[in-house]
Amino acid sequence: MSQNFDMINLLPISLLIIIISLLPFKEAARTSILAKNWMHLWKSTTNVEFNEHHFSRSNEFQRNDFLKFITLWIENHHQNSNIEKFSLTLSDPETDCEIVKRCVDFATQHGVKDLALNFSDTDWSDEEYDEPEALFELPTKVYEHKALESIKLFSCGFVATKLIKLHSLKEVSFGWMELKNEAIKILLCNCKKIESLSIKNCWMSTNFECSGSDLSLKTLIIDSCKFYYPRLTINAPNLSYFKYYGNVAYFKIQNSLHMNEVDINFGLEYQYPKVDEFIHKVITDFKHVKVLTVCSFILQVLSNALGPLLVEDKLNTRHLKLMTSLHNNEYLGVLFLLNGCPMLELLTFDLGFGRFLDKAPNEYYSSESKVEVEVEDEYSSDGDGDGDGDGDDDDDDDDDSSYVGDENQIGFIDYKNICQCLKSSLKVVEINNFTGAKNQILMLKFLIYNGSLIQRITINVSKEGVVNVENYHKIKECVMTIRPRASTDLEIFFFLKN
Amino acid sequence: MAEEKSQASSSKMLTLKASDGVLFEVELNIAKEMKTVQAYIDDCEDIETIPIPNVLGKHLAIVIEYIKKTNEEYDAEFEKQWNMDDLQLLLLAANYLNISGLQECLCKAIAKRIENKSPEYVRKVFNIENDHSPEEEAKLRKEYKWAFEGVDKD
């Protein structure tokens, strides 16, 4: 039902500007062609982003156009209007350092609260980089701009002892630089309002320590960083969200009772670790956490190291997210976790992630969710779903030969008696990037046969993975007819996604 | 004496009268979230019925419910129930009544719905008449060509 008048004319300009300011800068610019009275409205946006990537045409970066645009913008901007967010992404900043300084002046003069400077080189990649020096130094003006609440510096060097003057800082993000633990310590100790710290593609030659009994820190993200000493000490009593992506690291966690969500992803690892006992600690360190995301590396190491490590420690996890391909090397790890989370309510599978870690350290190949694991289905000819009695259900058996390449390794079917959550708490299951591969169907069967409280299973099928619509319907049919169903309330939803 | 007054005021009821005559009885502390209403009360203490001339009954009802229920979870789901017209009228109401939380929530919702859509789509949504001549539009598209690459075709 649409009214027959131009309703947006009723909204006062101040509201229109708020709405435009909530749009990305590029989108805001597009509103100029909506109508005559919109032509200049967008220029009052409080969210300004000068990003060189917007000015690339057929891979050729139109640097001059970009710089001209910035200069004109700054020159023509109303003195009175304020800027809340300012972001500059420019490679090779030294060549045009005057413009960079002008940008920073412009932002601070207009009261910017959220400042982002990204000078990183687009050629640098997550996995290989030579630890380049920061390409620019943070202009002095910024240290005096006390209104700043959020700062993001990528390849932009700074002096920690000066940065602490910014007492209003709530969010801090560093990238593509060398960081010293001293800098982090000073920052966290002096800027008491910091709630979020994110470090990406940084390298540290010192230990990483984030501790203090009065830290306000709620969010900590460590992404693709290189640690000469990969021992991370975290003691932040208000920490609620912790995400780690990179190589194997050893965490020393204290005061973690408030942690709500943890995501540990050792996705930069290619090889099975020489020593694997630490993996158990990685899991038990976070046993209070309600939402836990676990990667394929952890699942594989768990699967292999399980024998002596099958412990009684139960996790408090309510939502478990597994990044996995459900291949042979991961199964036992998956089961170990399901068994260890007796209060699990929601289970998510993000399929198609993770490499196949072979025990022979030099071999790996990227895992595809289409890799079919030849596993025999015990239930295919068994109408009443009881299954055969025998199998590898001996928990303490650490028989190496049963893990890699064993075609009858479907031990999980026999674990049904100990996954407490399947009987008492699991209500919802989500599967992303489902392709209908045998191992995925088997996991579904395991859950459906045993999950007596499951109310909903949502299956997001990847268009690429199923190849064609006919396949999709076949898979759907196969899943919908899985019987017996332990839960009388079960509803299964299928979605085809790009 | 002051204590008595404040105790009384917390359970005092107020009547709000929408533009179409619909009446709403609300507790004082709910009404105070609307800063415009608060100002009214400050000016005339004994008032019992406050006219809200710019807001229809159906929207005032939604606004009052928002004030009562607002929290992180509620806000996340709130905007999904309303179509674009209602969102805008609610925004006007929130703006007139000066309720900053609701105003912010609605602005975010509207921005989210027009994000990544073509200008043609946005015009349709807001019922905007395109009074640019084709030449003017072409000129703008050229001037800001960096902004027009990779747009959703609806």
Side-chain angles (χ1 to χ4, degrees):
Chain A
M1 182 206 103
S2 191
Q3 322 257 106
N4 284 332
F5 53 91
D6 184 352
M7 277 211 290
I8 206 74
N9 273 336
L10 293 179
L11 290 178
I13 300 237
S14 56
L15 284 180
L16 289 181
I17 292 177
I18 294 176
I19 294 175
I20 291 174
S21 299
L22 289 166
L23 294 171
F25 190 64
K26 201 172 165 178
E27 299 253 1
R30 293 209 282 268
T31 63
S32 57
I33 67 161
L34 289 176
K36 280 194 164 55
N37 55 343
W38 282 74
M39 224 159 64
H40 299 289
L41 211 54
W42 74 284
K43 294 177 188 173
S44 300
T45 181
T46 61
N47 174 9
V48 177
E49 184 190 357
F50 296 143
N51 186 338
E52 65 176 12
H53 299 303
H54 293 162
F55 282 74
S56 309
R57 172 107 20 87
S58 31
N59 283 329
E60 237 189 75
F61 168 38
Q62 313 288 328
R63 194 178 175 99
N64 285 331
D65 286 347
F66 180 51
L67 297 175
K68 216 164 57 170
F69 175 80
I70 294 180
T71 312
L72 277 174
W73 178 278
I74 294 180
E75 277 171 14
N76 293 330
H77 197 83
H78 279 294
Q79 272 314 309
N80 296 336
S81 62
N82 72 325
I83 304 280
E84 292 261 330
K85 272 176 83 163
F86 180 83
S87 162
L88 173 65
T89 303
L90 177 71
S91 55
D92 186 19
E94 273 305 328
T95 305
D96 293 287
C97 70
E98 277 316 304
I99 296 215
V100 175
K101 295 214 175 102
R102 272 189 87 182
C103 280
V104 171
D105 282 350
F106 169 73
T108 51
Q109 276 162 19
H110 286 87
V112 71
K113 295 215 185 106
D114 181 332
L115 178 69
L117 299 172
N118 182 349
F119 302 122
S120 61
D121 189 322
T122 39
D123 284 336
W124 298 341
S125 84
D126 278 350
E127 302 190 350
E128 278 301 317
Y129 50 90
D130 289 324
E131 301 177 15
E133 291 279 319
L135 295 178
F136 205 79
E137 274 301 307
L138 187 63
T140 326
K141 267 235 161 78
V142 180
Y143 299 117
E144 307 301 326
H145 187 62
K146 306 262 163 85
L148 211 54
E149 291 177 9
S150 169
I151 191 163
K152 177 169 157 175
L153 301 174
F154 276 24
S155 193
C156 180
F158 64 96
V159 178
T161 46
K162 289 205 237 167
L163 204 63
I164 58 175
K165 291 198 243 181
L166 302 174
H167 284 125
S168 304
L169 276 183
K170 285 204 203 129
E171 280 175 19
V172 176
S173 178
F174 298 127
W176 296 105
M177 293 189 286
E178 180 180 4
L179 282 181
K180 291 258 151 75
N181 195 55
E182 269 312 297
I184 296 189
K185 232 177 175 167
I186 292 177
L187 200 58
L188 291 176
C189 280
N190 287 287
C191 296
K192 297 287 190 191
K193 293 192 183 162
I194 294 181
E195 289 179 2
S196 166
L197 174 63
S198 165
I199 60 178
K200 183 168 158 46
N201 294 104
C202 290
W203 48 98
M204 289 185 75
S205 55
T206 51
N207 276 332
F208 175 89
E209 191 181 324
C210 178
S211 57
S213 54
D214 56 350
L215 286 185
S216 304
L217 199 65
K218 291 191 186 144
T219 299
L220 177 62
I221 297 175
I222 301 177
D223 182 353
S224 310
C225 294
K226 281 195 205 170
F227 296 99
Y228 290 14
Y229 304 103
R231 269 167 229 295
L232 281 61
T233 303
I234 297 169
N235 179 359
N238 290 310
L239 193 61
S240 168
Y241 177 72
F242 173 46
K243 178 177 157 77
Y244 178 90
Y245 176 82
N247 291 94
V248 162
Y250 304 90
F251 305 115
K252 184 173 167 194
I253 314 282
Q254 288 165 309
N255 276 319
S256 62
L257 291 178
H258 283 263
M259 275 202 203
N260 188 54
E261 186 171 348
V262 169
D263 179 342
I264 306 290
N265 190 334
F266 295 135
L268 284 181
E269 288 293 340
Y270 286 68
Q271 298 176 9
Y272 192 88
K274 293 197 177 66
V275 171
D276 55 17
E277 279 89 34
F278 73 94
I279 206 73
H280 175 248
K281 181 173 185 292
V282 169
I283 298 297
T284 53
D285 267 347
F286 301 117
K287 64 182 189 195
H288 307 292
V289 171
K290 297 235 168 62
V291 181
L292 184 62
T293 302
V294 167
C295 63
S296 168
F297 177 90
I298 292 179
L299 290 174
Q300 292 184 64
V301 176
L302 274 178
S303 298
N304 276 293
L306 267 182
L309 295 179
L310 195 67
V311 269
E312 296 313 307
D313 256 336
K314 295 302 180 191
L315 306 173
N316 201 24
T317 321
R318 307 298 157 113
H319 182 183
L320 182 65
K321 297 195 227 187
L322 301 172
M323 304 189 63
T324 172
S325 295
L326 290 177
H327 58 63
N328 265 352
N329 286 9
E330 291 169 332
Y331 268 141
L332 286 183
V334 174
L335 280 175
F336 174 78
L337 286 174
L338 284 179
N339 183 37
C341 301
M343 295 191 274
L344 193 65
E345 291 167 15
L346 173 51
L347 177 60
T348 302
F349 291 96
D350 274 334
L351 297 176
F353 286 94
R355 302 184 176 92
F356 213 108
L357 298 175
D358 199 283
K359 272 210 144 171
N362 291 325
E363 282 175 24
Y364 76 90
Y365 38 92
S366 63
S367 118
E368 293 175 36
S369 50
K370 282 182 244 162
V371 166
E372 280 197 295
V373 176
E374 289 304 324
V375 181
E376 250 199 293
D377 184 0
E378 279 191 333
Y379 287 79
S380 53
S381 53
D382 190 343
D384 62 353
D386 278 342
D388 296 334
D390 273 339
D392 319 319
D393 58 352
D394 186 352
D395 302 344
D396 298 320
D397 193 0
D398 192 13
D399 185 349
D400 270 3
S401 66
S402 70
Y403 298 111
V404 181
D406 179 4
E407 297 191 20
N408 292 323
Q409 193 237 339
I410 40 165
F412 73 92
I413 296 280
D414 306 304
Y415 273 64
K416 65 181 185 283
N417 293 324
I418 30 176
C419 282
Q420 178 67 29
C421 64
L422 288 180
K423 295 294 172 204
S424 60
S425 60
L426 187 63
K427 297 199 183 67
V428 179
V429 176
E430 290 168 347
I431 308 184
N432 297 317
N433 293 318
F434 189 76
T435 59
K438 249 193 193 150
N439 48 343
Q440 299 170 15
I441 302 277
L442 275 177
M443 175 52 76
L444 263 178
K445 283 184 175 173
F446 173 59
L447 294 169
I448 294 175
Y449 292 154
N450 298 296
S452 40
L453 294 182
I454 302 182
Q455 291 167 3
R456 187 172 84 234
I457 299 182
T458 302
I459 300 177
N460 292 314
V461 182
S462 95
K463 254 189 193 156
E464 256 179 54
V466 291
V467 177
N468 62 47
V469 180
E470 201 195 311
N471 241 4
Y472 170 70
H473 287 296
K474 255 202 290 192
I475 293 169
K476 190 171 169 179
E477 174 76 19
C478 169
V479 171
M480 293 302 210
T481 52
I482 293 177
R483 295 289 187 281
R485 288 184 174 188
S487 162
T488 48
D489 276 332
L490 179 59
E491 279 190 273
I492 302 180
F493 298 101
F494 263 82
F495 296 105
L496 193 56
K497 299 231 154 138
N498 278 326
Chain B
M1 187 64 184
E3 217 184 81
E4 257 177 42
K5 192 171 176 193
S6 68
Q7 267 185 345
S9 66
S10 63
S11 54
K12 183 178 171 193
M13 299 298 271
L14 211 60
T15 303
L16 301 176
K17 184 170 171 189
S19 62
D20 48 2
V22 183
L23 299 170
F24 295 91
E25 232 193 332
V26 290
E27 283 173 14
L28 192 63
N29 58 338
I30 301 285
K32 278 177 168 198
E33 293 296 317
M34 311 180 196
K35 301 223 171 53
T36 307
V37 171
Q38 172 73 70
Y40 223 105
I41 300 172
D42 288 343
D43 274 349
C44 3
E45 264 181 34
D46 291 328
I47 194 118
E48 287 196 354
T49 303
I50 298 177
I52 314 281
N54 298 355
V55 186
L56 286 171
K58 86 169 197 178
H59 293 123
L60 191 54
I62 297 170
V63 168
I64 291 170
E65 181 156 347
Y66 176 88
I67 296 174
K68 287 183 184 164
K69 293 191 177 166
T70 180
N71 62 33
E72 230 175 271
E73 233 180 277
Y74 182 79
D75 286 12
E77 297 298 307
F78 176 73
E79 58 97 357
K80 294 181 186 170
Q81 330 168 42
W82 318 116
N83 65 31
M84 197 44 120
D85 287 350
D86 279 328
L87 276 186
Q88 292 177 65
L89 289 168
L90 284 169
L91 177 56
L92 280 172
N95 181 247
Y96 172 72
L97 293 167
N98 202 344
I99 309 166
S100 56
L102 179 56
Q103 184 174 295
E104 201 181 301
C105 177
L106 291 165
C107 283
K108 282 192 186 148
I110 295 175
K112 197 165 92 171
R113 291 198 195 184
I114 62 175
E115 192 171 329
N116 227 20
K117 295 289 188 281
S118 65
E120 289 79 26
Y121 181 88
V122 178
R123 279 195 202 109
K124 242 193 293 181
V125 155
F126 291 131
N127 239 323
I128 298 176
E129 205 193 300
N130 182 6
D131 54 356
H132 279 310
S133 70
E135 295 82 30
E136 285 169 341
E137 182 167 329
K139 193 170 147 209
L140 282 168
R141 279 181 186 267
K142 188 169 173 222
E143 187 179 346
Y144 303 126
K145 58 187 174 206
W146 57 274
F148 284 98
E149 323 219 291
V151 176
D152 230 352
K153 282 306 162 199
D154 259 6

